[in-house]
Amino acid sequence: MTRTLETPDNSDSPRGFAFAITAYVLWGFLPLYLKMLSHIPPIEVVAHRIVWSVPVAGLLLILLGRTRDIATALTSPRTMAMGALTAGLISVNWGIYVWAISTGRTLDAALGYYINPLFSIFLGAVLLGERLSRAQLVAIALAAIAVVVLTVDAGTVPWAGLSLTVTFGLYAFFKKSLPIGPNQGFMLEVLILLIPALGYLLWLSATGQSHFTASLPDTWLLIGCGVVTAVPLIVYANGAKLLRLSTIGILQYIAPTMIFLIGVFVFDEPFGRARMIAFPMIWAALVVYTWSMLHQVRKRPSPTRS
């Protein structure tokens, strides 16, 4: 008898939808939280994101009984080297993102995460030799023209948005080579970053520059950085396993759309003529990319087994 396999590649789970949408909505609201920390230097905020993520991620691994995976990873030079690379990339990404929100560049952050899937396609072509379809080439070209429009108008490259695109795109690319699960991988990354983060926070405290105990609200907000950092990543990691890649590809636009709306309507950031031209071009590029992706999925035969 032949039946269709129920796998994450060809089926969607209601639990997967719930997890993924929850993660993207949490990421979408993150600028509101980070804005309350805009008076604190971004590197200090990132250090607290790292330090307070460790107990959250560690508790999850204890509950799942997966702590042995971390012990094994810590004794593998190859895993540690790859973990150090992904940890470095995600820490830089966090730093740029926190800085963008605190300095009134929320729309640049939205731009970066809108472009990210198109950059991932570009990476696949450059680093893996994957052939681009005509629709994918059109999508990448539209995004590139949009960046040119923003550059000509501002007189400078929108480096904040592009840096977010590049760092997160490379992070996702190399994360696939990390030979442990996503929850364990996140724990490994924050463990690798823990020593420099703690060292920096202790230096701030010793020199009287720390904001951690400056006021009770700041203290709780900085502790909460661990929750707002770790929880969406962990929820997403568990949801991604239960959804098709094409579904994730569509849902990923939830977060940058929320970031965009918050930037315009809550933070009242200027949405000038150049952005009125560039953002619709990027949205059009994403429509073309999504249509192409869905078309390829429909053409792909469903895996079966006897």
Side-chain angles (χ1 to χ4, degrees):
M1 186 173 73
T2 301
R3 68 184 180 87
T4 302
L5 283 173
E6 292 286 320
T7 70
D9 289 330
N10 69 348
S11 64
D12 290 322
S13 159
R15 286 180 64 235
F17 265 116
F19 280 137
I21 291 174
T22 298
Y24 284 122
V25 169
L26 289 173
W27 276 323
F29 279 122
L30 184 58
L32 297 175
Y33 190 94
L34 294 178
K35 199 70 169 179
M36 292 187 288
L37 293 164
S38 59
H39 60 289
I40 299 176
I43 190 170
E44 184 176 354
V45 175
V46 171
H48 280 283
R49 291 186 75 173
I50 293 165
V51 169
W52 298 109
S53 289
V54 172
V56 178
L59 178 60
L60 175 69
L61 293 185
I62 291 171
L63 293 175
L64 295 176
R66 304 306 296 268
T67 54
R68 184 175 297 180
D69 295 343
I70 291 297
T72 302
L74 291 172
T75 61
S76 169
R78 180 181 178 277
T79 302
M80 288 296 293
M82 187 58 67
L85 175 60
T86 58
L89 286 167
I90 197 61
S91 62
V92 172
N93 180 270
W94 287 347
I96 296 169
Y97 187 71
V98 173
W99 174 83
I101 301 301
S102 65
T103 57
R105 292 174 171 83
T106 305
L107 293 181
D108 285 345
L111 171 74
Y113 289 118
Y114 270 133
I115 296 176
N116 185 69
L118 303 177
F119 179 71
S120 295
I121 296 173
F122 175 76
L123 275 183
V126 173
L127 299 181
L128 301 178
E130 296 177 355
R131 294 187 62 182
L132 298 178
S133 68
R134 186 175 302 174
Q136 290 172 334
L137 287 170
V138 169
I140 292 173
L142 282 171
I145 295 170
V147 170
V148 170
V149 169
L150 292 172
T151 300
V152 170
D153 179 74
T156 181
V157 175
W159 71 266
L162 293 181
S163 297
L164 287 172
T165 297
V166 171
T167 52
F168 194 80
L170 290 174
Y171 170 75
F173 179 82
F174 289 113
K175 181 89 168 180
K176 293 179 181 178
S177 302
L178 202 59
I180 52 177
N183 294 328
Q184 299 93 311
F186 176 69
M187 181 63 178
L188 179 64
E189 288 162 355
V190 290
L191 280 177
I192 290 171
L193 295 168
L194 180 61
I195 293 177
L198 275 176
Y200 177 70
L201 292 178
L202 289 173
W203 177 79
L204 287 179
S205 181
T207 56
Q209 301 178 65
S210 174
H211 290 79
F212 183 57
T213 55
S215 68
L216 190 60
D218 282 353
T219 300
W220 283 111
L221 283 171
L222 289 170
I223 292 174
C225 283
V227 175
V228 300
T229 298
V231 170
L233 280 168
I234 292 168
V235 171
Y236 170 78
N238 287 277
K241 296 185 296 186
L242 303 172
L243 294 174
R244 292 175 294 179
L245 186 61
S246 57
T247 303
I248 295 171
I250 296 172
L251 293 179
Q252 69 182 322
Y253 304 139
I254 293 174
T257 299
M258 291 180 64
I259 294 169
F260 172 82
L261 293 174
I262 287 172
V264 173
F265 296 107
V266 180
F267 298 160
D268 198 29
E269 293 187 11
F271 191 63
R273 182 176 59 183
R275 283 175 169 166
M276 288 181 184
I277 297 171
F279 271 88
M281 291 182 72
I282 292 168
W283 295 331
L286 293 175
V287 169
V288 172
Y289 155 75
T290 304
W291 174 85
S292 172
M293 177 181 61
L294 293 176
H295 182 67
Q296 290 176 357
V297 170
R298 291 193 198 100
K299 288 172 62 179
R300 193 179 304 147
S302 298
T304 59
R305 74 178 182 186
S306 298

